[in-house]
Amino acid sequence: MVKPKLLKKILRSMWGAKKSYFACVFVIAIGIVCYCALTTVCDSLQYSLDNFYRDTRFADAFATVSEIPKARLAALDGIEGVAGVEGRLSETGRVLTEDRETIVTLRLIGVDPQAAWTAAGTAAEASSAVPAGAGAQPGASAHAPAPAASSAGSALNMYLADGGGLTEIDDILIGKAFLAARGIAPGDTIEIALYGQARAFTVKGSVQSPEYIYTMPNDGSLFPDPMTFDIAFVQSGALETISGRQGAATDLAFALESGYGFDDVKSPLEDALKNYGLAALYSRDDQPSNLLVTQELDSIASMSAPMSGLFLFVAAAILYIMLRRIVEQERTQIGTFKAFGYTNREVVSAYILYGLITGFAGGLLGALLSIPASGAYFDLFSEYFNIPSVETQVNFRYLFTGIGLAVAAGGAAALLGVKNIIKLSPSDAMRPSAPAFITGSLADRVRFLPLILTKRGMMALRFIGRNKLKSALILFSIAISFSVMSVTYSFNTLIDQMIYDQFNKSQIYDIKTVLKGPAAKEAALSAFRGLPGVRDAEAIIELPVSVVHENRTRQIALTGLNAGSAQFRIIDDQGRLYAPPTDGLILTKNFADSMGLTRGDTVLIKSPLLPEDKPVRISNVIGTNFASSCYMDAAALADFFRQPDFATAVVLLTEPGESARVKEALIRGENVASVNDARRILENYRALMGSYISLIYMILLMAILIAFAIIYNISSISLSERQRELATMRVLGMTTAETAEVLTFEHWVLFAAAVAVGIPMTLAMRQALTAAISNDLYGMPSGTPPVAFIYSAASCAISVFLSNLAARRQIGRFSLVEVLKERD
Amino acid sequence: MAAILSVRNVTKKYIMGEVTVEALRGVSFEVDEGEFVVILGPSGSGKSTILNIVGGIDFPTAGEIYYKDTPIHTADEKRLTLYRRNSIGFVFQFYNLIPNLTAKENIELASELSQNPIPASELLEKIELSDRAGHYPAKMSGGQQQRVAIARAIAKNPDILLCDEPTGALDFSTGISVLKILRDFNTDYRKTVVIITHNAGIAAMADKTLYVRDGLIDRITTNETPAAPEDIEW
Ligand SMILES: Nc1ncnc2c1ncn2[C@@H]1O[C@H](COP(=O)(O)OP(=O)(O)OP(=O)(O)O)[C@@H](O)[C@H]1O
Ligand SMILES: [Mg+2]
């Protein structure tokens, strides 16, 4: 459609202005990287998750009981809607290590060795496996792993063993993160103490289970800490023998018949399990690991469109401005083309090529860059989520959609930019453009402005005022990058602030000791206070319960705290202090929201300690940045359960320098399940956030580069538009700096306006992001510290400054004679 | 009378690949303070090149230019800027007014640069555009724009006014009015004026006329009794 000569001309003039086009291509590419990488990661994760759940037969419902004989499970099968039941025994065992300051525990799960994929590794490895029979590992099948074992055909929540199955009674499979953190390799021996008995296991390899994609320790810690806790799978026979709980199950999983939902089986199951100490009964949606993974996936998915949209908008805005300029500049040429007999259509489509080519280049670059980007993002994800790693499939559908989006954005921007060509008659085109209709601009309306501004300032202000659309686009583009920067800066600053607050204002203690079971409060306290090196001790309660509201059930640690505590206090994200309520619960906002609860509602508490579910009022909902919590006054909590005052954990402040000694002593304690150093928790949190922070820095860098690309581009467009004016000023005897002032002043005014617009824009973005990203694990810190605005303003200011410097240099290099020679 | 401008053996070559264009091939002349000088010559002979070099917006390939006793050919960009700022006023064929500034503001843009500017209102009166002070260039005729451009050049109160075909785009009577303003500036403020023109008639106004041909000064004539602009044969 486009004549070859016209194409050649366009390619040449694009090359002439290559820096500007590169800037555009860059911004588009960023947008497309966001789009392609996020959708690809999301898709790959969803895909591998779905596959994993399907292949391992992830259960539809779950229950935790104190103990139920496996023989009784068959009866549950008879409940209408229940298709299958699986019971496993689980126990927390202590790993005997050289480490004298930490208690290392593993959640031991007894499984049927058949209920595993014995095929080593992932689908990817299996498909490229050695030829069948050619020395393959015993039990390894060359085809894609499938739950093959016939006796396990109906098993639920099968696990994936990497490195070999549980063939011997003392074999053990442990979470990958734990093995990595503690440097344990297959073949090593690990000693685990349970009920006072130590027993050696041979590490066969790592394990992945649909129930433990995300592993939350069960000692009330907020974050995974693979150094001290993980899951481990052993043969059920082994676990039954050590614990002396022959034929017992604690963790139940149910498959439902198709057509039945959790609500259909909930009350019959509740009734059936009531007598076995039912602690929790919940659906797959509320399964803790699944819940977190799903939330994470949702937040990734919800970011993709707005992020890429913002960047594409910015790129389209620049492109539009550039093309408007090109058409203006080449109006004589356009007139000539038309006079030669080219149709409007031919000329317009030729000029649209500028946009299409730029869009295509940006889209292609973005699509290509998205391949490593999604790989990196996926790796980041799999650091915390233990899921069989699929290769991030290069999904051509997304790559093509990405390129298509970019081309469309480029084409649309170009079409808008060049549509004036149609109106241009050849004779008009030959004449210089009619001056823009001149109305009074701000510079004229505000009386005092002419008094304080130089003529150069006036020129700049009028220029802004006379090109309202262009100025608005520039302003918004800068405001967008400013906001992206502020959001990322604020996120970063707030994480530090929030960690600081949490560990200096809320969890002030040095050490938290979790007891193996509830102990009488006074006895526990006096035991701990008596330890040398302990400055003060305080007893708290952390009790796993199920919170039931309408059709949702969630497990949470109900935390009982003491009024006037100096070590563990309830504090919200605004730094406000709350007394532990004696007449109800305080819930954190993320938890309340996920359950659809508000202050004043009543929920049911389910616990083996309660003969039946007991109602309690929500006395307050507070915003925090940390994991879901649920607080009550410790004494009131004991009352609630009709128990005398008790403690499940003790928090301590140590004398300076005595921390190690205290920990050593604690670890030897009879009734001690775990000892947590507050500093370690803090470090863990930082590590968790650390990977997000690296992502943040990436985004930040992009935002800064984009801000620079925008401002630089605008500056070079302005330069070319106004070189005649600028040259005239030079001839009048103005220095390069004085001349550049016309441009630089304009940039600074736009910068100031962009910051003014960017501040509310940031607040809006922050709210949207908080909503999108918060999950049960961590909150997106809310609020935007002023320092974030200062940083971003400074970053934008640097971009303005550098662009101004470049503009000044270019003005200095003007050949005055050349510029002024031709008439405009 | 002392020479305000001395041009000695100035050459200008443009090297374009294989071809070298010699725009000036050794030009020498002097302009005295307060003189009204006209440069005449066919198109492409090098008139603009001379004016640009003298005005400090272009550089000679060789030769010397002195403003009073200051060498211009060796001046760096900073000194050239100062030279243009303090000593030179430029007027172009195509006005080059700033479209964003009104007539008066265009003039003030220049006066802001000077230690002892001529007030804009005074100049507006001189060019008979006081009633147009607030108008933007786009709303003015070519002649009016050129008068504003001249006023802008004069506003800095420079010693020398350099005009490259100031009447080139204007009709007869408008051209005459522009010439009158230039003449008045020359006489009322005792400033040196150099104009390039294609129009041989204008030479009648000049104290001195340089005839340029082929990159060389063909001849220089002086005129003891310059004619008034009104009496010029166009
Ligand atoms: N940038 C340039 N590159 C090459 N040659 C040039 C350049 N500028 C001017 N010339 C050449 O130098 C010569 C003198 O040009 P100049 O503009 O001084 O002529 P002029 O006398 O002002 O002509 P006119 O009356 O048409 O304005 C011409 O032959 C022209 O082609
Ligand atoms: Mg010329």
Side-chain angles (χ1 to χ4, degrees):
Chain A
M1 191 153 84
V2 176
K3 301 278 185 294
K5 280 289 166 307
L6 223 48
L7 181 63
K8 200 165 180 181
K9 171 205 131 41
I10 280 166
L11 291 178
R12 269 195 198 141
S13 36
M14 286 185 81
W15 188 248
K18 51 186 174 302
K19 280 191 206 153
S20 299
Y21 286 103
F22 282 149
C24 251
V25 164
F26 169 75
V27 180
I28 294 175
I30 301 285
I32 299 306
V33 168
C34 284
Y35 170 78
C36 289
L38 292 179
T39 46
T40 304
V41 164
C42 221
D43 236 36
S44 306
L45 285 172
Q46 192 65 58
Y47 176 80
S48 32
L49 196 65
D50 289 346
N51 274 348
F52 190 42
Y53 282 171
R54 193 196 54 235
D55 292 345
T56 56
R57 306 196 64 226
F58 187 43
D60 299 312
F62 301 82
T64 316
V65 294
S66 303
E67 188 171 318
I68 185 170
K70 279 185 185 163
R72 295 288 169 84
L73 292 178
L76 298 174
D77 237 338
I79 293 174
E80 190 190 338
V82 175
V85 191
E86 168 104 358
R88 287 172 179 172
L89 185 61
S90 77
E91 291 278 4
T92 301
R94 181 153 158 193
V95 180
L96 302 179
T97 61
E98 302 287 295
D99 199 337
R100 298 197 306 172
E101 285 182 32
T102 41
I103 290 187
V104 182
T105 51
L106 284 172
R107 181 113 189 113
L108 297 169
I109 297 140
V111 286
D112 177 353
Q114 309 262 278
W117 285 345
T118 43
T122 62
E125 281 169 22
S127 57
S128 64
V130 281
Q137 295 169 33
S141 54
H143 50 79
S150 57
S151 70
S154 64
L156 296 173
N157 299 335
M158 288 183 291
Y159 59 94
L160 185 65
D162 189 0
L166 297 169
T167 43
E168 305 294 328
I169 193 80
D170 58 357
D171 284 348
I172 191 168
L173 293 163
I174 306 180
K176 195 169 57 178
F178 183 88
L179 297 182
R182 301 206 74 93
I184 299 171
D188 289 356
T189 304
I190 187 167
E191 261 197 300
I192 299 173
L194 243 175
Y195 294 104
Q197 254 184 298
R199 179 162 174 158
F201 285 93
T202 310
V203 177
K204 292 300 287 277
S206 64
V207 67
Q208 290 176 318
S209 155
E211 285 177 279
Y212 300 100
I213 288 174
Y214 185 84
T215 318
M216 277 269 237
N218 50 3
D219 62 354
S221 311
L222 303 175
F223 321 106
D225 178 8
M227 266 308 267
T228 60
F229 179 80
D230 211 331
I231 49 153
F233 281 39
V234 295
Q235 286 199 7
S236 51
L239 193 59
E240 284 173 22
T241 317
I242 324 176
S243 63
R245 299 165 85 178
Q246 235 74 29
T250 51
D251 301 355
L252 308 184
F254 306 92
L256 301 187
E257 276 164 20
S258 61
Y260 286 86
F262 176 68
D263 291 337
D264 301 322
V265 298
K266 188 178 164 204
S267 40
L269 279 177
E270 226 161 34
D271 291 340
L273 296 170
K274 204 183 290 175
N275 297 329
Y276 301 101
L278 178 62
L281 177 65
Y282 48 90
S283 68
R284 181 198 272 212
D285 287 345
D286 287 329
Q287 201 271 340
S289 154
N290 179 45
L291 188 69
L292 272 165
V293 180
T294 312
Q295 284 174 340
E296 183 73 21
L297 270 174
D298 288 348
S299 70
I300 301 173
S302 64
M303 304 243 298
S304 138
M307 289 273 281
S308 31
L310 279 183
F311 292 133
L312 282 186
F313 169 82
V314 169
I318 306 178
L319 206 52
Y320 166 80
I321 294 168
M322 280 169 70
L323 284 162
R324 280 272 302 257
R325 169 62 193 153
I326 287 168
V327 169
E328 204 43 60
Q329 214 168 11
E330 298 186 350
R331 50 187 289 130
T332 345
Q333 287 184 40
I334 292 168
T336 315
F337 288 136
K338 284 192 166 189
F340 282 174
Y342 280 92
T343 62
N344 263 331
R345 197 194 176 81
E346 282 167 330
V347 180
V348 168
S349 48
Y351 277 81
I352 284 180
L353 267 186
Y354 284 104
L356 295 178
I357 292 173
T358 312
F360 179 76
L364 189 66
L365 182 66
L368 290 177
L369 287 178
S370 79
I371 297 171
S374 26
Y377 195 10
F378 195 85
D379 288 347
L380 192 67
F381 190 89
S382 40
E383 220 176 290
Y384 294 96
F385 295 93
N386 190 10
I387 194 166
S389 57
V390 286
E391 294 150 281
T392 37
Q393 300 271 330
V394 176
N395 190 330
F396 288 100
R397 187 161 61 92
Y398 291 131
L399 297 195
F400 288 131
T401 313
I403 295 174
L405 275 176
V407 172
L415 186 61
L416 289 174
V418 304
K419 67 173 194 300
N420 284 342
I421 290 178
I422 297 167
K423 285 187 271 172
L424 210 60
S425 78
S427 55
D428 279 344
M430 298 300 194
R431 282 197 291 271
S433 74
F437 180 64
I438 286 161
T439 52
S441 69
L442 179 72
D444 304 289
R445 275 196 292 265
V446 183
R447 283 288 168 75
F448 68 88
L449 274 180
L451 301 179
I452 53 168
L453 288 177
T454 61
K455 289 293 159 300
R456 281 159 273 154
M458 295 288 286
M459 285 171 72
L461 272 194
R462 288 198 183 135
F463 201 80
I464 294 172
R466 302 255 161 82
N467 296 271
K468 290 195 181 64
L469 177 63
K470 181 182 146 190
S471 303
L473 285 175
I474 298 169
L475 196 154
F476 273 101
S477 302
I478 301 175
I480 286 173
S481 16
F482 171 85
S483 307
V484 171
M485 277 186 236
S486 305
V487 167
T488 33
Y489 272 128
S490 70
F491 192 50
N492 203 13
T493 328
L494 282 169
I495 287 173
D496 280 348
Q497 180 62 41
M498 143 185 144
I499 291 179
Y500 179 86
D501 280 356
Q502 184 71 6
F503 293 99
N504 286 279
K505 296 183 184 162
S506 174
Q507 287 158 253
I508 305 153
Y509 57 79
D510 295 323
I511 295 171
K512 182 168 102 182
T513 311
V514 178
L515 307 177
K516 279 187 177 151
K521 184 178 171 182
E522 285 312 317
L525 271 182
S526 57
F528 280 88
R529 287 200 173 121
L531 285 175
V534 170
R535 183 146 54 92
D536 194 15
E538 212 173 272
I540 63 167
I541 302 174
E542 281 175 340
L543 211 55
V545 297
S546 289
V547 175
V548 184
H549 176 64
E550 285 162 6
N551 57 354
R552 306 222 62 169
T553 301
R554 293 278 301 280
Q555 294 162 284
I556 193 165
L558 177 52
T559 308
L561 299 177
N562 307 299
S565 167
Q567 295 196 40
F568 199 155
R569 305 189 290 200
I570 307 169
I571 203 162
D572 70 7
D573 51 8
Q574 306 299 313
R576 281 186 294 256
L577 212 63
Y578 296 84
T582 49
D583 59 343
L585 298 175
I586 287 182
L587 298 188
T588 55
K589 193 169 182 314
N590 50 0
F591 181 65
D593 286 352
S594 74
M595 294 276 296
L597 288 168
T598 51
R599 179 180 179 158
D601 287 349
T602 297
V603 293
L604 290 176
I605 298 292
K606 184 193 287 295
S607 160
L609 289 179
L610 292 170
E612 55 193 32
D613 297 354
K614 189 170 171 183
V616 61
R617 213 175 64 88
I618 309 298
S619 73
N620 214 341
V621 172
I622 61 169
T624 64
N625 301 316
F626 280 83
S628 300
S629 301
C630 176
Y631 301 106
M632 205 177 193
D633 179 76
L637 198 156
D639 269 357
F640 183 81
F641 286 96
R642 306 209 179 288
Q643 306 280 334
D645 278 354
F646 68 101
T648 64
V650 176
V651 289
L652 305 170
L653 287 173
T654 57
E655 300 291 353
E658 296 283 356
S659 165
R661 192 170 135 201
V662 171
K663 276 191 281 181
E664 277 187 48
L666 287 173
I667 279 167
R668 288 193 299 269
E670 267 289 285
N671 192 25
V672 173
S674 78
V675 176
N676 291 318
D677 190 327
R679 194 145 13 104
R680 262 194 74 75
I681 296 175
L682 194 146
E683 278 160 13
N684 272 327
Y685 193 74
R686 270 191 215 282
L688 173 73
M689 282 307 181
S691 46
Y692 284 91
I693 287 170
S694 63
L695 199 67
I696 289 171
Y697 279 126
M698 282 298 298
I699 297 173
L700 201 55
L701 187 68
M702 294 299 156
I704 292 174
L705 287 175
I706 286 173
F708 181 71
I710 297 168
I711 295 165
Y712 178 82
N713 240 4
I714 296 313
S715 160
S716 50
I717 292 171
S718 305
L719 258 178
S720 91
E721 268 177 334
R722 291 149 80 182
Q723 55 176 345
R724 202 181 178 78
E725 280 173 39
L726 299 171
T728 306
M729 292 165 68
R730 295 271 287 126
V731 172
L732 277 178
M734 292 190 191
T735 60
T736 318
E738 286 167 336
T739 309
E741 222 175 78
V742 182
L743 286 186
T744 55
F745 187 78
E746 179 187 340
H747 294 161
W748 288 120
V749 170
L750 285 174
F751 160 79
V755 169
V757 171
I759 288 174
M761 203 185 243
T762 305
L763 300 177
M765 261 193 219
R766 295 259 324 132
Q767 271 195 332
L769 256 177
T770 307
I773 281 186
S774 291
N775 59 26
D776 274 18
L777 192 53
Y778 50 81
M780 192 51 180
S782 56
T784 308
V787 65
F789 291 127
I790 295 170
Y791 280 147
S792 343
S795 305
C796 284
I798 290 171
S799 296
V800 173
F801 178 77
L802 291 178
S803 302
N804 284 348
L805 214 62
R808 241 168 90 165
R809 273 187 40 200
Q810 239 172 307
I811 291 174
R813 285 202 303 251
F814 270 170
S815 160
L816 300 179
V817 179
E818 291 300 313
V819 174
L820 295 172
K821 193 160 66 181
E822 70 255 27
R823 95 175 275 177
D824 51 1
Chain B
M1 215 184 281
I4 193 166
L5 280 172
S6 315
V7 176
R8 294 177 200 157
N9 273 320
V10 165
T11 62
K12 176 80 180 176
K13 287 182 190 155
Y14 291 102
I15 299 164
M16 299 181 295
E18 309 276 279
V19 192
T20 303
V21 177
E22 281 192 85
L24 298 180
R25 299 189 293 154
V27 170
S28 304
F29 64 91
E30 294 202 333
V31 174
D32 291 334
E33 206 165 339
E35 254 184 332
F36 195 101
V37 177
V38 167
I39 303 180
L40 268 177
S43 186
S45 55
K47 306 181 294 292
S48 297
T49 311
I50 293 174
L51 204 73
N52 291 341
I53 290 175
V54 164
I57 62 172
D58 201 354
F59 310 92
T61 308
E64 294 162 9
I65 303 106
Y66 293 92
Y67 163 72
K68 291 178 180 167
D69 285 320
T70 319
I72 300 304
H73 52 284
T74 53
D76 59 7
E77 186 51 48
K78 210 166 151 187
R79 302 185 69 130
L80 276 184
T81 301
L82 279 178
Y83 168 61
R84 291 199 297 265
R85 187 181 196 129
N86 298 328
S87 314
I88 300 292
F90 253 104
V91 176
F92 300 94
Q93 184 179 357
F94 298 116
Y95 334 129
N96 283 325
L97 293 178
I98 308 286
N100 267 339
L101 295 180
T102 62
K104 190 172 184 204
E105 286 165 347
N106 258 287
I107 298 169
E108 285 167 345
L109 178 70
S111 16
E112 276 172 8
L113 294 172
S114 175
Q115 307 285 350
N116 55 335
I118 301 174
S121 48
E122 181 185 328
L123 288 168
L124 279 165
E125 222 159 280
K126 274 239 146 55
I127 61 171
E128 294 173 357
L129 285 177
S130 298
D131 53 335
R132 299 274 179 151
H135 285 221
Y136 287 97
K139 298 230 169 141
M140 287 190 277
S141 74
Q144 289 167 335
Q145 287 190 55
Q146 190 60 300
R147 271 139 66 195
V148 175
I150 294 169
R152 183 179 66 183
I154 295 171
K156 292 187 298 180
N157 204 1
D159 291 340
I160 306 171
L161 199 58
L162 302 174
C163 315
D164 195 339
E165 302 189 40
T167 58
L170 306 175
D171 65 28
F172 172 70
S173 59
T174 323
I176 296 292
S177 70
V178 164
L179 289 174
K180 260 175 73 179
I181 293 163
L182 293 174
R183 177 88 243 185
D184 289 350
F185 179 66
N186 175 245
T187 49
D188 297 358
Y189 297 97
R190 310 203 149 279
K191 304 293 184 178
T192 309
V193 175
V194 181
I195 348 180
I196 290 177
T197 178
H198 277 118
N199 190 333
I202 295 175
M205 272 176 71
D207 296 316
K208 185 190 271 174
T209 308
L210 310 179
Y211 291 87
V212 183
R213 175 176 300 168
D214 234 353
L216 288 169
I217 305 265
D218 203 30
R219 62 198 163 96
I220 301 177
T221 61
T222 48
N223 184 359
E224 294 305 321
T225 52
E230 299 87 340
D231 303 335
I232 287 173
E233 312 253 336
W234 200 260

